[in-house]
Amino acid sequence: MEQRISGEEGARDAHYAVRLAADEADLLSAQRLRYAVFVEELGAQCARADHAARLERDALDPYFDHLVLVDRHVDPATLDHVVGVYRLLPQDRADRLGCFYSDAEFDLTPLRASGRKLVELGRSCVHRGHRRGASMVHLWNGLAEYVIARKIEIMFGVASFHGADPQRHADALSFLYAHHLAPEALRVHARPEGAARPDLPDPAGIDARAAMAAIPPLIRAYLRLGGFVGQGAFVDHDFNTTDICLIMDTSAMSGRAFDYYTRKSPRG
């Protein structure tokens, strides 16, 4: 497995490093972080997690690349050195595996039929003590390098609203479908067996500012970069979330967004 994203040294500040998980300690620390965020902070059940060891993991983890944000000041032996993570599954590996993680919630036929090179993003989280400042920019820089090096054309993955009651998110979902729905050629659909069915209001009558504020910050960030959403949402009771599928066509990103996404160091 590749151990480092090219250009890391000199591109990151002294506090953080961004790399693909290099060893078992990196992976266990990423799973510990996921447990702290998803189970302890957000109340997910995560039936497949190792609750005794406080590790959120599943059978697919060995097939993914794990992009980790490392706090250089923390001893890896503590398993607390990973403070941010993305889980990444390139299309060629998904083809060998026979599925993407998102297949369980969305019909991905349009993406597969597009003939474009895909990567699935998931399990994104940052330690609560590192959410202010440049941590997310560091992660996105690492993700950009990963995507560029592999000539990825479409990024996609499940993104979540907290809580398994989709009606709570009706205004935000209506706003997303009205203003950020993916083009038909890339429009995945939530699988009917778990599809959310909130009573969506007419988008014309929604307070757009309030609806946008109700969208989780990570989803808003993808939208600013030109991201789209699939049709429908899926209720994941195990994670206590209402999920949408985010899709980003890298060729359709604006020049300004691309410059932001691929810049090598944080500004300001």
Side-chain angles (χ1 to χ4, degrees):
M1 177 184 290
E2 178 184 353
Q3 295 187 356
R4 286 193 176 270
I5 301 295
S6 63
E8 175 193 337
E9 298 302 328
R12 314 300 179 204
D13 62 31
H15 192 78
Y16 292 121
V18 178
R19 61 172 182 259
L20 296 182
D23 52 30
E24 187 72 4
D26 280 353
L27 179 56
L28 289 173
S29 185
Q31 293 169 338
R32 175 70 53 81
L33 172 65
R34 284 158 38 183
Y35 191 92
V37 173
F38 299 133
V39 178
E40 296 175 338
E41 184 178 344
L42 298 178
Q45 297 179 31
C46 293
R48 293 181 293 275
D50 184 341
H51 293 284
R54 297 179 53 245
L55 301 173
E56 192 284 298
R57 56 187 180 186
D58 63 21
L60 296 182
D61 267 337
Y63 299 94
F64 280 76
D65 288 330
H66 301 267
L67 183 69
V68 294
L69 177 70
V70 173
D71 185 340
R72 296 179 186 268
H73 297 168
V74 177
D75 182 354
T78 66
L79 300 186
D80 291 326
H81 62 294
V82 172
V83 297
V85 66
Y86 262 107
R87 196 168 80 157
L88 309 170
L89 185 61
Q91 183 176 6
D92 56 350
R93 206 173 302 159
D95 289 344
R96 294 195 297 271
L97 178 61
C99 68
F100 287 104
Y101 174 84
S102 305
D103 276 307
E105 299 188 7
F106 293 88
D107 180 355
L108 303 180
T109 300
L111 297 183
R112 287 190 172 92
S114 71
R116 314 284 294 285
K117 195 169 184 179
L118 311 173
V119 69
E120 180 183 43
L121 283 59
R123 292 297 203 276
S124 173
C125 60
V126 175
H127 187 282
R128 65 166 66 197
H130 294 262
R131 290 174 193 162
R132 295 182 183 274
S135 59
M136 202 65 211
V137 174
H138 286 310
L139 267 178
W140 279 20
N141 277 215
L143 179 58
E145 291 180 16
Y146 182 98
V147 165
I148 291 168
R150 290 158 180 79
K151 297 181 171 59
I152 300 296
E153 297 171 273
I154 301 288
M155 298 181 290
F156 74 97
V158 168
S160 303
F161 288 82
H162 181 55
D165 177 5
Q167 194 60 47
R168 289 175 47 198
H169 313 298
D171 282 6
L173 292 172
S174 181
F175 179 86
L176 286 173
Y177 302 150
H179 299 286
H180 298 283
L181 193 62
E184 187 172 355
L186 299 176
R187 191 178 305 162
V188 306
H189 288 74
R191 294 198 176 278
E193 58 269 24
R197 294 180 173 84
D199 182 13
L200 296 180
D202 182 343
I206 291 174
D207 181 333
R209 181 173 294 183
M212 196 66 174
I215 297 171
L218 184 60
I219 298 176
R220 292 202 305 267
Y222 282 117
L223 299 179
R224 286 195 295 271
L225 292 176
F228 302 103
V229 300
Q231 182 68 59
F234 190 97
V235 178
D236 185 342
H237 293 283
D238 189 44
F239 266 83
N240 188 32
T241 56
T242 299
D243 296 341
I244 61 173
C245 188
L246 273 169
I247 303 154
M248 184 174 293
D249 181 346
T250 60
S251 70
M253 292 169 64
S254 69
R256 181 178 179 183
F258 189 80
D259 288 344
Y260 173 87
Y261 187 71
T262 58
R263 70 193 188 195
K264 299 302 182 184
S265 60
R267 301 170 187 168

